[in-house]
Amino acid sequence: MRVPALLLVLFTAAACAGPPAPLQEVTKPSPPGVPELSGGGEFTSGDTAAIAYDRRLAPEGAQASLTAESTGGETRTSLVVEGFLPRHHYGAHLHTAPCGTDPDDAGGHYQHNPGHADPASEIWLDVTTDGSGAGRSTARHPWSLDPAALPKSLVIHARATKKSGAHAGEAGPRVACLTLH
C-alpha cells in the first residue's frame, strides 16, 4: 500500500505545480566582435537588395543565400543558389559596396590583403549548377573579416573565375547581386 500512497503524493505535487512552461527557442548570440554576414532572396530587377542584371543567366525565380562568419581567426563562407541556368559554371565573389541598379555599383572585389587578386586574399565562391540550376559553394580562409570594412555584397558573374595569370580574379560580366547585412 505504500507505493500507491507515494504515487498519490507525487501526482498531487505535480498537479499543484501547474502546467509545464512552454518551450522557448534558445538562440545563442554571437560573441561581441565576431563578424557575421548574411543575405538572401530571389533576384528581381526592382529590388536593389537582390537584383538580376542578366535574365538569360539568372532566370526569373533564381535565388541565392549567403552566410559568412569569422571566429577563432578563421572565416567560413557558404553560398547556395537555386533556379539558375542548369549545368553552368558561375564565378562568385564578395564585393566592397552594396548592390545597385548598375552592376558596377557593387564596387570591386573584397580583398583581405588589398592589391592581391587571388583566392587567398579574396572570397571566391564559384559554383557549378546541377541539372535543375542549383548549386553550393564554400570557402575557408585563415583570417578574420575586418568589422570596420566588411564586404557589402555577393556578385555572381557569368563565367568561372580565372585562377592565375594577368587576368586572375576576372569572371566576366555581373549576372546578379545580393546585398549583405
Side-chain angles (χ1 to χ4, degrees):
M1 287 293 241
R2 287 196 147 167
V3 173
L6 179 60
L7 289 176
L8 180 60
V9 170
L10 290 174
F11 176 75
T12 305
C16 292
L23 294 176
Q24 295 179 351
E25 183 179 337
V26 177
T27 58
K28 182 179 172 186
S30 295
V34 172
E36 288 185 353
L37 294 171
S38 65
E42 184 173 330
F43 293 103
T44 66
S45 31
D47 178 5
T48 58
I51 187 165
Y53 303 118
D54 182 343
R55 279 294 178 203
R56 186 180 64 79
L57 294 174
E60 197 70 39
Q63 304 175 51
S65 175
L66 179 123
T67 59
E69 180 181 78
S70 290
T71 56
E74 180 178 76
T75 299
R76 292 172 310 283
T77 311
S78 297
L79 170 65
V80 176
V81 298
E82 295 178 358
F84 279 79
L85 195 63
R87 294 180 182 83
H88 187 82
H89 195 102
Y90 293 89
H93 316 109
L94 297 190
H95 281 246
T96 59
C99 304
T101 54
D102 185 302
D104 290 333
D105 289 346
H109 292 184
Y110 172 83
Q111 296 178 334
H112 178 69
N113 294 313
H116 292 93
D118 58 49
S121 178
E122 299 183 352
I123 299 177
W124 294 357
L125 295 157
D126 285 20
V127 61
T128 300
T129 56
D130 64 14
S132 68
R136 294 177 177 271
S137 180
T138 60
R140 241 174 218 233
H141 292 83
W143 42 260
S144 293
L145 294 168
D146 178 357
L150 293 172
K152 303 287 191 269
S153 62
L154 164 79
V155 173
I156 298 174
H157 295 266
R159 293 185 298 274
T161 305
K162 294 184 188 225
K163 306 292 186 230
S164 61
H167 300 286
E170 291 182 12
R174 297 174 185 202
V175 170
C177 186
L178 184 65
T179 295
L180 306 175
H181 309 284

